[in-house]
């Protein structure tokens, strides 16, 4: 199924002191789509785990660490996870 999702349909949410996400509505419960701006640690403490759908992460700029199945991966510009 082809989907066209316009930017103005995104729901903006502040997810931590250092993070904002724009969630885009999709017709699937297995896959989600969002754009995130993270400038520091997210979440503020602890870890976040998405138990609802699969995720693909693409880093546009910057660097950091992400945990997948309790394994730490370092990422930087133009990295897909």
């Amino acid at each position: 199924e082809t989907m066209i999702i316009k930017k103005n349909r995104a729901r903006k949410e502040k997810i931590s002191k250092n993070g904002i996400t724009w969630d885009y509505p999709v017709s699937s419960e297995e896959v989600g789509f969002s754009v995130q701006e993270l400038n520091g640690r997210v979440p503020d403490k602890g870890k976040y785990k998405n138990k609802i759908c699969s995720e693909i992460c693409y880093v546009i700029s910057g660097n950091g660490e992400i945990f997948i199945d309790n394994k730490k991966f370092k990422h930087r510009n133009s990295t897909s996870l």
Side-chain angles (χ1 to χ4, degrees), residues 1 3-5 9 23-34 53-54:
E1 177 182 331
M3 291 186 289
I4 297 173
I5 306 169
R9 298 217 35 229
D23 282 319
Y24 289 79
V26 295
S27 59
S28 171
E29 291 187 19
E30 297 171 352
V31 177
F33 178 72
S34 70
C53 63
S54 298

Side-chain angles (χ1 to χ4, degrees), residues 7-74:
K7 185 176 182 178
N8 65 356
R9 298 217 35 229
R11 186 188 56 167
K12 183 178 178 181
E13 180 182 354
K14 186 159 181 70
I15 57 174
S16 73
K17 291 187 294 189
N18 301 305
I20 297 172
T21 187
W22 290 266
D23 282 319
Y24 289 79
V26 295
S27 59
S28 171
E29 291 187 19
E30 297 171 352
V31 177
F33 178 72
S34 70
V35 173
Q36 299 180 4
E37 183 178 309
L38 311 175
N39 294 302
R41 190 179 197 315
V42 175
D44 295 328
K45 58 183 171 179
K47 294 180 184 175
Y48 167 80
K49 183 173 184 176
N50 186 340
K51 297 179 182 180
I52 298 171
C53 63
S54 298
E55 292 185 2
I56 297 172
C57 177
Y58 181 79
V59 180
I60 295 172
S61 66
N63 59 62
E65 298 174 345
I66 190 168
F67 289 83
I68 302 172
D69 296 328
N70 292 319
K71 295 179 186 172
K72 181 169 61 172
F73 296 87
K74 294 183 182 235

